[in-house]
Amino acid sequence: MHRTIDMKALIRTALAGAAALALAGCSLIPTYERPAAPVPATYPGAQPAAGTSSPASTLAWQDYFTDPRLAKLIETALANNRDLRVAVGNIEQARAQFQIQRAAQFPALDLTASGSRSSPNPLAAAGLGGSVASSYSVGLGITAWELDFFGRVASLKEQALAQFLATEESRKATQISLVSAVASGWLTLIADDELLAITRQTLTTREESQKLTRMRFDNGVSSELDLRLADSLAESARASYAEQQRLRMQDENALALLLGAPVPPEATEGGARGLDGVAAMPELPAGMPSDLLGERPDIRAAEQQLIAANANIGAARAAFFPRITLTSSIGTTSSEFSNLFDRGTKAWTFAPQLTLPIFDAGRNQAGLGSARAGRDIAVAQYEKAIQTGFREVADALAGRATLGEQLRALRAQSEAESVRFRLSDLRYRNGIASALDLLDAQRSLYGAQQAAVQIHLAQLQNQVVLYKTLGGGWATK
């Protein structure tokens, strides 16, 4: 229907729209209540840590990983890592989805223009117009704008907002994992170099023993059994050296993937002391399990997903109520293009539409049931995230409590085996001990040295893991 209107009518229409907006504050979203944390109130056997009192989540990674070689690698990874780029892209996508949902709360104003000519003209028989019918119009209006009386659109906006916030927290969690993985990978390379040095030294020692045993065998002093044992241990050392070289190259490849760039040679240079030359990491307070709710981005992301699922219930509930949409426009229309904007050609339309669900074969009820099930799933996932975080921190604290003593014992064993080897070598060269005693001492020393390096690596990596599990790694200077 087209009618000429005045400014008062336009004002009344605008006021009606404003009133509709004012009424659109109803929300059917259930009141959100954070589920209780399904974990004990304290960590098992947790002891207060000496040193800084700042929680890990507020401790910048530059203040925790103070070795300049490692800091440079972390900076490279943060700039180049593809997983982190994907996480950033997911944030932008979620932000755009939120903006789309938010825009649905406001009317979209469109300018339209149309024209048509057709023949024959059905009015020509009545003497109205020629053989060709023409129609032209220009209008400014709103199309199918939903008046959100029951909060359906607002619920979808809240859902999109929570998902956006969850994506932002997931990016932080991705950065935490990246920083931790780079630190662990770098420590592994340092340990690889230390193990290579031990294996190389062991190979040299066994080759010397092999030469000495062969010389003694050629002179009839040693048996062929001693010679074959020396040959076996020398070849075993060569195999171990080749294996250690391969593992070192593979570990470097893994670190390069995290960095998104080749590992620079200086990253492992200047550390003649191996793992002992790594800059110390400060002690961290464990705090309470309840602290994880605010400190770990992965747990905060799970909670935002729960909030999104809760908001989705509001949208599913609103589907049971009437949906009102408004289409209106104001403009001009004419059968002649030349007088399209002349006086008397103004026109307007006002077409509200109400849709009331009566029978949909249970679709809306199923939608509500699906939304509630989705919330139950999100609750379980949130609780699982808390339990996982508790377990990870507890494991790291167990490592902190025991790995130091294990390393001390293994180093003492390694020292004892070193003394034993020197005495066995001296006794063998003087014909007092058998080759079997010497080679057994070599084997025991090599095993003890390897174990000490591996436990030292585990101790340092455990400090990295504790920093990660307490929510550290996303804060920066």
Side-chain angles (χ1 to χ4, degrees):
M1 179 175 60
H2 301 279
R3 296 179 181 174
T4 301
I5 60 171
D6 54 17
M7 290 303 296
K8 292 183 179 180
L10 282 175
I11 293 174
R12 286 195 298 271
T13 302
L15 290 175
L21 281 174
L23 291 173
C26 178
S27 175
L28 299 178
I29 300 176
T31 302
Y32 173 74
E33 295 182 2
R34 174 184 284 179
V39 294
T42 59
Y43 296 110
Q47 298 294 332
T52 178
S53 60
S54 300
S57 60
T58 62
L59 184 63
W61 63 261
Q62 294 95 331
D63 293 330
Y64 191 73
F65 301 113
T66 56
D67 194 299
R69 296 172 295 172
L70 175 56
K72 187 173 295 184
L73 293 181
I74 293 176
E75 289 175 354
T76 301
L78 293 178
N80 297 330
N81 183 264
R82 270 52 180 182
D83 289 335
L84 194 57
R85 290 186 184 180
V86 170
V88 172
N90 288 337
I91 291 176
E92 296 304 318
Q93 188 177 48
R95 179 185 289 113
Q97 290 296 329
F98 165 65
Q99 291 173 343
I100 290 172
Q101 290 295 341
R102 185 179 61 178
Q105 291 186 301
F106 302 94
L109 192 62
D110 300 317
L111 176 65
T112 60
S114 64
S116 67
R117 290 172 61 82
S118 62
S119 179
N121 181 2
L123 300 178
L128 301 175
S131 61
V132 177
S134 301
S135 177
Y136 304 95
S137 66
V138 175
L140 187 68
I142 301 168
T143 303
W145 172 41
E146 181 174 347
L147 303 179
D148 197 25
F149 287 107
F150 302 100
R152 189 188 74 88
V153 177
S155 297
L156 293 176
K157 185 203 74 171
E158 293 300 321
Q159 178 197 33
L161 175 60
Q163 289 177 336
F164 162 63
L165 296 176
T167 308
E168 170 62 26
E169 296 297 341
S170 296
R171 185 205 66 80
K172 294 178 181 178
T174 300
Q175 178 174 321
I176 286 176
S177 297
L178 175 61
V179 170
S180 171
V182 170
S184 294
W186 177 73
L187 290 170
T188 301
L189 274 189
I190 301 296
D192 285 341
D193 289 340
E194 193 170 347
L195 289 171
L196 269 175
I198 293 173
T199 307
R200 190 182 304 112
Q201 180 183 3
T202 301
L203 175 58
T204 301
T205 301
R206 289 185 180 180
E207 286 176 340
E208 291 176 355
S209 296
Q210 182 185 30
K211 292 177 182 178
L212 178 59
T213 304
R214 179 171 293 279
M215 184 184 302
R216 291 169 64 90
F217 172 76
D218 291 340
N219 289 296
V221 179
S222 296
S223 66
E224 185 176 358
L225 180 62
D226 292 339
L227 176 61
R228 296 311 173 195
L229 180 57
D231 291 342
S232 174
L233 289 179
E235 294 302 329
S236 175
R238 292 188 184 96
S240 296
Y241 187 64
E243 179 186 18
Q244 194 59 48
Q245 286 178 312
R246 181 179 69 254
L247 291 176
R248 206 276 183 193
M249 288 186 286
Q250 290 174 342
D251 290 337
E252 182 174 347
N253 293 337
L255 182 57
L257 178 61
L258 293 173
L259 299 179
V263 180
E266 60 271 16
T268 55
E269 290 179 351
R273 297 172 56 203
L275 293 175
D276 287 332
V278 173
M281 291 170 270
E283 289 288 319
L284 294 172
M288 295 303 213
S290 58
D291 297 335
L292 295 180
L293 304 184
E295 293 176 354
R296 285 195 37 148
D298 59 330
I299 295 178
R300 293 201 299 267
E303 184 175 16
Q304 289 298 330
Q305 291 291 0
L306 172 57
I307 293 173
N310 193 62
N312 195 40
I313 294 178
R317 285 176 170 177
F320 288 88
F321 294 89
R323 184 178 301 180
I324 302 174
T325 58
L326 175 63
T327 299
S328 64
S329 67
I330 183 172
T332 178
T333 182
S334 174
S335 60
E336 298 292 337
F337 183 77
S338 58
N339 61 2
L340 181 60
F341 297 100
D342 291 348
R343 183 182 298 273
T345 60
K346 293 180 181 178
W348 61 273
T349 61
F350 181 73
Q353 181 180 3
L354 183 145
T355 304
L356 177 64
I358 297 177
F359 175 75
D360 60 4
R363 177 182 299 174
N364 286 340
Q365 189 63 46
L368 179 58
S370 176
R372 286 173 173 166
R375 182 183 60 183
D376 293 341
I377 293 172
V379 169
Q381 291 173 333
Y382 173 66
E383 293 176 341
K384 178 65 179 297
I386 296 174
Q387 292 174 336
T388 300
F390 177 88
R391 183 264 173 97
E392 290 174 347
V393 175
D395 285 350
L397 292 175
R400 183 168 73 178
T402 58
L403 284 170
E405 174 60 21
Q406 186 178 4
L407 177 61
R408 185 209 61 77
L410 285 172
R411 283 179 167 174
Q413 179 189 7
S414 179
E415 182 62 28
E417 292 293 347
S418 179
V419 174
R420 177 192 170 198
F421 168 70
R422 289 197 299 270
L423 294 176
S424 297
D425 183 59
L426 182 62
R427 288 165 58 86
Y428 178 70
R429 291 178 184 274
N430 287 278
I432 300 175
S434 66
L436 182 61
D437 292 336
L438 174 63
L439 297 176
D440 182 65
Q442 287 180 349
R443 183 168 49 232
S444 297
L445 174 59
Y446 178 54
Q449 288 175 329
Q450 277 192 315
V453 172
Q454 289 167 350
I455 293 302
H456 193 189
L457 172 63
Q459 183 190 38
L460 293 175
Q461 288 182 330
N462 186 76
Q463 291 179 266
V464 174
V465 170
L466 181 59
Y467 180 59
K468 170 191 173 184
T469 57
L470 290 175
W474 66 268
T476 187
K477 285 185 176 180

